[in-house]
Amino acid sequence: MVRIKGSATSIDLFEGWWTIARNKVSTAVSRSPKGHPIISHCFAAITRVLEIREVFIVGYYDEAVFRDFIKDCGRTHPSISVKYLREYQALGTAGGLYHFRDPILKGRPDRFFVLNADVCCSFPLEQMLRMFEEKDAEAVILGTRVPNEAATNFGCIVSDAHSKRVLHYVEKPESHISNLINCGVYLFSTEAIFPSIKSAIKRRSDRPRLVSYPSSETLDNQYLPPSRDDDDDDDGEKNQIIRLEQDILGDLADSRQFYVLETKDFWRQIKTAGSAVPANALYLMKAFQQQSEELAKPSATILPPVFIHPTAHVDPTAKLGPNVSIGPRAIVGPGARIKESIVLEDAEIRHDACVLYSIIGWSSRVGAWARVEGTPTPVREHSTSIVKNGVKVQSITILGKECVVADEVRVQNCVCLPFKELKRDVQNEVIM
Amino acid sequence: MKALILVGGFGTRLRPLTLSLPKPLVEFGNRPMIAHQIEALAAAGVTDIVLAVNYRPEVMTAALKKYEEQYNINIEFSVETEPLGTAGPLKLAEKTLGKDNTPFFVLNSDIICDFPFEDLVKFHKSHGQEGTIVVTKVEEPSKYGVIVHKPDHPSRIDRFVEKPVEFVGNRINAGIYILNPSVLQRIELRPTSIEQETFPAIVKDGQLHSFDLDGFWMDVGQPKDFLTGTCLYLSSLTKKHSPLLTSPSESFVNGGNVMIDPSAKIGKNCKIGPNVVIGPNVVIGDGVRLQRCVLLQGSKVKEHAWVKSTIVGWNSTIGRWARMENVSVLGDDVTIGDEVYCNGASVLPHKSIKQNVDVPAIIM
């Protein structure tokens, strides 16, 4: 079961991107946009729902990645059990749930939430629970409205305007279906979801080569020889990726009591590293509205919201904000300017440098009078790329770990992979 | 002695600067371009200067009045009612240029160099023929009209070759001439070119010589060349240890070739140079980085800005953390917002720029 295909260079590229993605998710634990792990925002929402007793974190990462986070959770919320379930191969969201059905069902829960950790929103879990009870539902999904042009990038939900029942669900449709989209947060009854997954798996085994999904992955599968033997050996489970979005939700809409809770609050997917900047801005804005003590005090040189880690050093003549996070031990020199950006730990921004709409990676250095710049994307626009001279480029500039931008150099709309030194101006490039 | 300066039209190539001021009055090295030429001519003993112009703005009349008094010379305007090319204006000014039998200078107003008028007169008189044109050595002669000498003579011109494909020589016409009044007989009062009609005719009679220019030379008629010319001019001042330059021992000077008007104010922790001209009453904020740029009178560069290869027009302002580069030219009273990036922006007078100009463009 080899799933990675392509030439050596594309694998290299994949590896490179992976580094960023991996660092980003370890961000999920050790560092984050607003100085909190991304996953901690999910956990904070979970702790507000008193009924929740158990939390499982499911992922491919090594157990060590989540160890500290789980330890911290145990300390702050001793009444909640937090466990990590490691997937050793990609099973898909539904496949993963099904694979771990025993530990999940062990405590005999009658329903459970599923949260995608790469989502940034206010997680109105209690409202979802209330709707579940009011409607006597079997499944509740969190939805949000996006502009029509953006909707087809997401799972689209058609619901009854009055009852809020989900009538139809399509993942990333080619044509416009609805502008109410899947936020990646669900509440399922155990009695409904596991049988649904099981029947999806069965359907797969009976009719293993589905061609109706317009994804490249399915197209690739069409050219694989039928592998009946594997199916028999592995109980038809392990070699089948079953995804909640593509394989389950559509059926739930047909056959189950499936409802949607529409959130009017902020929502954004943190899929690429670039989406971290607008996602961070949303969290900072929310913290600012709640007058969080964690944020830096507004002044002539601090345009709120700005988060500065207590161990960071920011020169008083530097001007920061809005929507800026400065990580632990980062140094910001005199007369520097940082706006709509994330500066991760141990990074240094030297005097008179200017950082706009960018992420400065761990231990990276931006030289004096250098300019690191992305292009603003409106928060409402769920896209992390822009079109420049007819070419699609990354809107946010991202410097990976330990990158160096030389004095006076300008970097615009670039992704710079770790350990690179930029000595001359670059724009619209991925620097490998 | 007498001289004619070919000023011509509206200086469209140097817009947006020339939308506010006639080209001869645009400051080059903190002095109007024409002042460099008038000063050099006066020093060589010229007493009568004719400015060949297509139009006569009031502001120019007033400015030149000042030079008349300063150098004790006569400056007259010769206004063409229709453009007469590069030779026609000589005929139009025949009354002055031909008033006595001494030779007269002709120069293009866009030329900046170490004007060698005295040596030029000596050389011209030594060969005793009708005309001498100043030539300068260039690296890429294929872009210009090249001068070819007679095989048996070091200075007598044999012919001109326009944009040669094959190497025939590396000396080009520098736009500065000294001619005997007899040349005026060869020109008719109509639109006509000195390079294409008058000179070939003199060459045919074997009466035209060339004079090699030492040192720098530049046609500064457009912004890119204006900046290059500024670098050459400042370098030549450095070579002469000119007191016009700011001492490189000043803490903020980086790499030399920096000229700062005494009335300008410089902030703390700046890094300025090489090749920077800062005009009168300019204000530079703290932590500003300037290189290869010209800041005209009354302009302002706010804190932490970065400016390179840019001409900042009179009374214009560059915002904090702004970045200007790649031959950006700001007209009079332009405002560049904080944190804005300009790549090769030509900005018309009185405009305010609040968004990045990522690719070279004219901002109306």
Side-chain angles (χ1 to χ4, degrees):
Chain A
M1 275 284 307
V2 177
R3 290 202 154 263
I4 297 170
K5 289 189 155 192
S7 65
T9 49
S10 78
I11 289 174
D12 284 347
L13 181 65
F14 184 75
E15 286 291 333
W17 280 97
W18 191 231
T19 314
I20 284 190
R22 197 197 314 254
N23 282 345
K24 186 198 79 194
V25 177
S26 67
T27 293
V29 182
S30 56
R31 42 227 148 186
S32 106
K34 206 195 98 192
H36 292 299
I38 291 171
I39 198 171
S40 78
H41 294 286
C42 304
F43 188 72
I46 288 166
T47 59
R48 287 196 294 270
V49 183
L50 299 172
E51 288 88 340
I52 297 178
R53 291 273 150 263
E54 271 184 311
V55 176
F56 296 101
I57 301 169
V58 184
Y60 310 128
Y61 302 98
D62 194 87
E63 280 86 350
V65 171
F66 290 96
R67 195 175 295 140
D68 289 347
F69 175 70
I70 291 175
K71 215 184 273 171
D72 286 350
C73 293
R75 206 175 302 132
T76 53
H77 295 88
S79 60
I80 300 176
S81 134
V82 182
K83 291 202 183 80
Y84 180 63
L85 301 174
R86 183 172 177 188
E87 282 183 296
Y88 285 90
Q89 65 178 113
L91 299 171
T93 21
L97 279 180
Y98 197 71
H99 180 77
F100 292 118
R101 60 191 181 278
D102 290 341
I104 293 170
L105 292 172
K106 201 178 165 204
R108 296 189 167 276
D110 48 1
R111 59 206 160 181
F112 63 95
F113 284 100
V114 174
L115 285 73
N116 279 304
D118 64 353
V119 159
C120 141
C121 73
S122 58
F123 295 109
L125 304 184
E126 285 161 298
Q127 288 178 48
M128 289 176 72
L129 192 58
R130 217 175 304 138
M131 179 179 232
F132 195 93
E133 283 164 358
E134 276 168 16
K135 304 281 184 187
D136 195 17
E138 293 174 297
V140 171
I141 183 172
L142 186 66
T144 191
R145 300 274 174 189
V146 297
N148 284 347
E149 319 76 84
T152 50
N153 298 320
F154 301 95
C156 293
I157 303 163
V158 181
S159 65
D160 182 277
H162 182 67
S163 71
K164 301 298 171 197
R165 177 149 179 202
V166 178
L167 303 174
H168 186 59
Y169 180 89
V170 198
E171 185 68 14
K172 300 189 181 68
E174 278 172 24
S175 54
H176 179 72
I177 296 206
S178 159
N179 68 350
L180 180 62
I181 60 144
N182 176 1
C183 292
V185 181
Y186 317 94
L187 176 57
F188 294 121
S189 90
T190 46
E191 276 169 19
I193 191 68
F194 288 111
S196 287
I197 300 174
K198 190 169 184 185
S199 65
I201 291 169
K202 186 157 183 300
R203 216 165 37 236
R204 267 291 176 89
S205 320
D206 294 347
R207 191 160 42 94
R209 307 297 163 220
L210 281 177
V211 291
S212 60
Y213 303 129
S215 80
S216 58
E217 208 172 331
T218 329
L219 291 176
D220 282 351
N221 284 347
Q222 287 182 64
Y223 300 105
L224 290 174
S227 49
R228 279 267 161 221
D229 299 348
D230 291 359
D231 286 4
D232 294 342
D233 290 351
D234 295 346
D235 194 24
E237 181 198 307
K238 278 184 190 160
N239 61 342
Q240 297 284 2
I241 290 194
I242 304 286
R243 290 160 299 188
L244 214 44
E245 299 80 11
Q246 282 89 338
D247 303 322
I248 306 295
L249 297 182
D251 284 342
L252 283 182
D254 282 343
S255 55
R256 299 282 184 177
Q257 290 292 314
F258 185 19
Y259 291 89
V260 55
L261 179 77
E262 219 180 297
T263 176
K264 300 266 188 288
D265 224 338
F266 70 90
W267 178 84
R268 192 157 179 130
Q269 199 173 18
I270 316 175
K271 199 165 193 174
T272 61
S275 47
V277 169
N280 187 44
L282 292 174
Y283 278 127
L284 285 171
M285 199 49 84
K286 183 148 180 121
F288 181 59
Q289 283 160 2
Q290 293 168 348
Q291 304 188 324
S292 166
E293 293 290 313
E294 288 183 317
L295 296 185
K297 251 211 178 110
S299 69
T301 54
I302 300 285
L303 309 178
V306 171
F307 171 81
I308 300 173
H309 193 275
T311 59
H313 180 264
V314 176
D315 189 278
T317 61
K319 185 176 171 187
L320 273 54
N323 300 317
V324 168
S325 286
I326 307 292
R329 298 178 303 282
I331 300 169
V332 178
R337 174 77 178 101
I338 305 174
K339 173 175 156 185
E340 304 279 355
S341 295
I342 301 171
V343 176
L344 293 170
E345 59 194 70
D346 298 303
E348 182 183 0
I349 312 296
R350 297 225 166 138
H351 69 87
D352 304 297
C354 185
V355 175
L356 312 168
Y357 306 96
S358 299
I359 300 174
I360 308 301
W362 308 275
S363 306
S364 282
R365 195 177 78 217
V366 175
W369 285 293
R371 184 179 174 103
V372 178
E373 178 180 16
T375 303
T377 49
V379 168
R380 283 271 143 217
E381 203 167 287
H382 294 270
S383 160
T384 55
S385 58
I386 50 160
V387 175
K388 255 194 167 182
N389 306 328
V391 183
K392 214 172 172 190
V393 297
Q394 176 78 27
S395 58
I396 297 299
T397 287
I398 302 166
L399 301 185
K401 192 180 180 190
E402 287 184 46
C403 286
V404 176
V405 177
D407 288 358
E408 306 188 28
V409 164
R410 176 171 177 272
V411 182
Q412 187 189 29
N413 296 114
C414 286
V415 174
C416 182
L417 297 186
F419 313 113
K420 289 298 287 187
E421 193 171 349
L422 302 178
K423 290 177 185 155
R424 59 183 66 142
D425 296 359
V426 276
Q427 55 182 337
N428 310 339
E429 273 183 55
V430 173
I431 299 134
M432 313 235 268
Chain B
M1 282 181 73
K2 308 148 294 183
L4 177 108
I5 302 176
L6 293 161
V7 175
F10 294 94
T12 52
R13 292 187 306 159
L14 207 53
R15 282 181 180 169
L17 298 174
T18 45
L19 292 172
S20 308
L21 204 60
K23 186 170 62 177
L25 297 187
V26 171
E27 294 93 341
F28 178 91
N30 280 346
R31 280 196 308 154
M33 288 202 330
I34 204 155
H36 293 266
Q37 296 165 337
I38 291 174
E39 186 195 54
L41 288 168
V46 171
T47 50
D48 296 276
I49 296 176
V50 181
L51 294 185
V53 292
N54 290 346
Y55 72 122
R56 177 169 43 181
E58 278 306 309
V59 54
M60 210 142 107
T61 319
L64 293 173
K65 191 109 207 127
K66 199 179 77 186
Y67 295 124
E68 280 190 314
E69 287 160 12
Q70 188 179 345
Y71 298 111
N72 193 25
I73 52 172
N74 299 312
I75 300 176
E76 64 177 89
F77 285 91
S78 168
V79 184
E80 302 158 44
T81 47
E82 59 169 318
L84 291 174
T86 47
L90 275 66
K91 191 71 177 177
L92 192 65
E94 190 173 21
K95 218 174 145 196
T96 307
L97 300 180
K99 73 173 180 183
D100 55 32
N101 217 12
T102 59
F104 59 88
F105 296 106
V106 175
L107 48 152
N108 283 323
S109 68
D110 294 345
I111 302 301
I112 283 294
C113 65
D114 277 328
F115 297 100
F117 295 124
E118 280 176 84
D119 290 342
L120 184 57
V121 178
K122 264 184 233 152
F123 176 76
H124 182 71
K125 285 186 173 157
S126 74
H127 67 65
Q129 293 186 301
E130 268 194 279
T132 306
I133 70 178
V134 177
V135 297
T136 184
K137 196 174 138 183
V138 291
E139 285 179 356
E140 290 181 68
S142 55
K143 289 198 269 182
Y144 304 88
V146 171
I147 281 157
V148 182
H149 292 111
K150 294 262 188 217
D152 57 349
H153 198 281
S155 70
R156 182 171 290 125
I157 295 169
D158 180 55
R159 63 200 151 99
F160 300 95
V161 184
E162 197 56 35
K163 299 195 171 67
V165 181
E166 231 173 273
F167 182 87
V168 289
N170 56 8
R171 297 294 197 275
I172 64 156
N173 180 347
I176 301 168
Y177 326 112
I178 182 164
L179 306 171
N180 287 347
S182 62
V183 170
L184 296 168
Q185 313 308 315
R186 296 176 178 270
I187 304 170
E188 292 169 39
L189 189 59
R190 61 175 173 88
T192 157
S193 160
I194 199 167
E195 296 89 352
Q196 281 158 32
E197 296 184 55
T198 319
F199 288 158
I202 309 176
V203 163
K204 216 170 163 194
D205 298 341
Q207 293 278 320
L208 196 62
H209 290 257
S210 77
F211 173 85
D212 268 357
L213 182 67
D214 279 334
F216 77 102
W217 173 87
M218 197 75 205
D219 178 334
V220 295
Q222 45 194 341
K224 185 172 176 283
D225 299 332
F226 187 92
L227 286 167
T228 307
T230 300
C231 297
L232 295 172
Y233 173 66
L234 293 173
S235 299
S236 104
L237 291 183
T238 297
K239 221 175 275 172
K240 291 182 213 156
H241 305 287
S242 165
L244 291 170
L245 295 186
T246 307
S247 162
S249 61
E250 281 279 4
S251 63
F252 56 79
V253 172
N254 176 62
N257 289 5
V258 174
M259 176 187 276
I260 301 177
D261 187 274
S263 63
K265 287 193 185 70
I266 311 289
K268 285 178 285 194
N269 303 318
C270 289
K271 188 171 175 185
I272 297 174
N275 300 311
V276 174
V277 176
I278 297 177
N281 303 315
V282 169
V283 179
I284 309 286
D286 295 348
V288 165
R289 177 75 182 105
L290 302 174
Q291 55 200 308
R292 205 176 190 276
C293 61
V294 175
L295 312 182
L296 297 175
Q297 177 160 8
S299 59
K300 188 171 181 182
V301 181
K302 292 196 184 171
E303 294 80 8
H304 320 295
W306 187 96
V307 182
K308 185 179 185 179
S309 297
T310 292
I311 305 172
V312 181
W314 312 274
N315 312 306
S316 287
T317 301
I318 293 179
R320 295 175 185 84
W321 293 286
R323 184 178 177 107
M324 314 289 299
E325 62 185 336
N326 195 21
V327 197
S328 288
V329 186
L330 310 185
D332 179 36
D333 181 36
V334 165
T335 305
I336 303 292
D338 287 358
E339 294 141 30
V340 166
Y341 168 64
C342 286
N343 173 15
S346 278
V347 187
L348 268 58
H350 315 296
K351 274 298 286 184
S352 197
I353 305 289
K354 295 185 181 98
Q355 276 184 327
N356 285 3
V357 180
D358 283 324
V359 287
I362 295 163
I363 316 294
M364 314 240 294

